[in-house]
Amino acid sequence: MKRVIQWWTEERRAYLLLVLPAVAVYWAVMAFPTVFSFALSLTNYNGGPVFSNPNIKFVGFEHYLRMFRDQYFWISLKNNTLIILVSVFGQIPLGFLFAYVIHRKLVKFRGFFQTIIYLPCVISTIIVGRLWRSFFSPYGPFTEFMQKFQPGWENELFFDPKLAIVPVLFVILWMYTGTYMIIFLANLQKIDPALIEAARIDGATEWQVLTRIMLPSLSGVIVTASILAISGSLKSFDLLFAMTAGNPARRTSVLALYMYDTAFKHSPKYPLANAISVFMVMLSLVLILLVKLTEAKFGGRE
Amino acid sequence: MMKQVKIRKSDFHPVLRAFVYLMALVFTVLTLYPLLWLVISSLKTNTEFQINILGWPQNPTLNNYPTAWRLAKFDTLFLNSLFFTTVSTLVVIGLSLMAGFAFAKLRSKATPFLHGSFIMGILLTLQSIMVPLFLMSVTTGLYDTRLGVLIPYVGMGLPIGVYLCTEFIKSIPDSVVESARIDGASYFRIFASIVAPMAAPVAVTLAILNVSGVWNEFMLINILVSRDALRTLPVGIHKFSGALASDHGRQFAALTIGLVPMVVFYLLFRKQITKGVSAGAIKG
């Protein structure tokens, strides 16, 4: 009895009560579903009660095999890859460029540019998607402009399965470059200005300041930005949902949309949807690990 | 001593300078022109829009606005968005501060594991758990209820919240807590009257992150709710503009109404928002 009392100190009690609400909510809606979805992906569960349901059978990796045979899975994966490429090789360099010229005061109207470039990120993605859908549609300004330059131009952006993803990629590039600009800007401000001043006084050119001082001290941030870009790209859902809904013929689908369609359109296929969700979690982990390994190999100093 | 070394013009190559200005200009036009076109188009009747897509309306009219407001039930949408955003933000801040205080200042062997689980959550893409969340909400009977939306919203805000609060409270000197202990204050008292007030800056950052996240959230609420009465702005606007896709004037009026709150919020709290975004972008 004595030992129990000693163990159950006020500190332990306080710790438990302070931590419990956050842990309970977080584990219930974030951690548990991840595990739950893996468990369900190995069964034939397709609605109805989950517990003591005699019809639920263990089917192993059947749904994963089905997923890999589905052409829409590959189309979605390809589009996600394109979005990752646009993010890592488009948004990040452009975001850095803007942050650099704003930080080094190389352009005028800095406050204005900064405000405008970040603006798209604060607007609801649904509204952005609907707006650009109208913008690129046959009755939108884009068609009008093209027809001014090229009379008789037919707008097939939303009908041609090969072209349909291009406006989406374009909007994604425009939309999120501001986020990376803000992140780089905040970290550039952490570099000691005296360091740059000293280098300049010693005769370093602006190019040397950029490549020898700024980029090396930002290498960790670039890794963080890449991780954000990858996990952000796998999150693409709202924009596509509002802009194309995956069409034409599901050619602009992404994994999240593919999963949504599988689960909620026509007759529900929950097991397959769960397999897709597990695949997405794994893919995200693997990609993040790859970025980490690349960092370890080429080692930035920080 | 010079304050800042002047950058000589020759240092920044004119071609590069032109390129930077061009890019900045392109981004500005891409942001402002569609918005301008949206607002102008919302002042046109449907008939006029069809013959005059780009120009200023001959007879500008505000009639689309009241109609769109009524048809899309904007008062319900606004109230719901306000409700979910306010409640989830307050709860996230409260729970994050509590857990952050415990992780930062109380000794426990469970901390590395529990704290680590929240860090994992920062990397978790919410999109990948939408199907299990839907199945869970149906199973527990929380489907189509306010609580069924609030709980995931809180859970989704917690990882970054717990991380930021733990880091912030760690920076408060241990001696503050210790001396209060010697004076006989309980841990809850120390939390409520010393630590929580000191953590106001991180609470502001967290509020900014959470408000912009929840206000614009679409995917989860679209899956977890089907009743009209529980819809928020993004869901309502999406349903409305889908149903009235060919009713351009009203659709554009609805989009404009939906745009205003976030743009105003952004212009008012520009500094805090950008600070919050860079604080939220932590190393994975």
Side-chain angles (χ1 to χ4, degrees), chain A residues 11 15 26 115 197 200 277, chain B residues 3 11 107 111 117 128 266:
Chain A
E11 190 174 7
Y15 185 88
Y26 165 72
T115 308
E197 256 174 65
R200 298 284 311 194
S277 108
Chain B
K3 265 230 156 114
D11 262 8
R107 280 163 302 147
T111 296
S117 80
S128 60
Y266 173 57

Side-chain angles (χ1 to χ4, degrees), chain B residues 192-271:
Chain B
S193 40
I194 301 176
V195 173
M198 282 177 92
V202 78
V204 170
T205 304
L206 211 51
I208 298 269
L209 282 176
N210 215 67
V211 165
S212 37
V214 171
W215 186 270
N216 289 336
E217 206 286 324
F218 169 76
M219 184 203 70
L220 269 184
I221 191 157
N222 181 46
I223 293 169
L224 298 178
V225 153
S226 64
R227 268 194 291 160
D228 280 11
L230 294 187
R231 276 180 191 159
T232 54
L233 280 169
V235 185
I237 289 170
H238 182 258
K239 294 262 155 65
F240 179 76
S241 60
L244 290 180
S246 54
D247 197 343
H248 305 280
R250 284 171 194 163
Q251 190 194 343
F252 294 145
L255 292 179
T256 311
I257 298 172
L259 269 174
V260 172
M262 265 332 254
V263 172
V264 171
F265 178 73
Y266 173 57
L267 294 178
L268 285 179
F269 299 104
R270 205 164 53 89
K271 287 233 164 64

Side-chain angles (χ1 to χ4, degrees), chain B residues 52-67:
Chain B
N52 174 13
I53 290 178
L54 294 184
W56 183 257
Q58 292 206 307
N59 308 302
T61 167
L62 283 171
N63 283 344
N64 290 324
Y65 282 87
T67 326

Side-chain angles (χ1 to χ4, degrees), chain A residues 10-11 15 26-28 108 115 118 122-123 130 139 174 182 197 200 224 256 259 270 277 292 295, chain B residues 3 11 21 31 53 107 111 117 121 127-128 130 136 181 216 241 259 266 270 274 277 282-284:
Chain A
E10 199 211 330
E11 190 174 7
Y15 185 88
Y26 165 72
W27 281 52
K108 294 199 177 85
T115 308
Y118 188 67
V122 298
I123 305 172
R130 296 306 300 200
Y139 60 80
W174 159 81
I182 296 293
E197 256 174 65
R200 298 284 311 194
T224 313
M259 176 166 61
Y270 297 136
S277 108
K292 286 289 203 188
E295 182 197 23
Chain B
K3 265 230 156 114
D11 262 8
Y21 270 112
T31 305
I53 290 178
R107 280 163 302 147
T111 296
S117 80
Q127 277 67 8
S128 60
M130 64 179 166
M136 283 162 65
R181 283 296 291 169
N216 289 336
S241 60
L259 269 174
Y266 173 57
R270 205 164 53 89
T274 47
V277 172
I282 60 134
K283 239 181 117 122

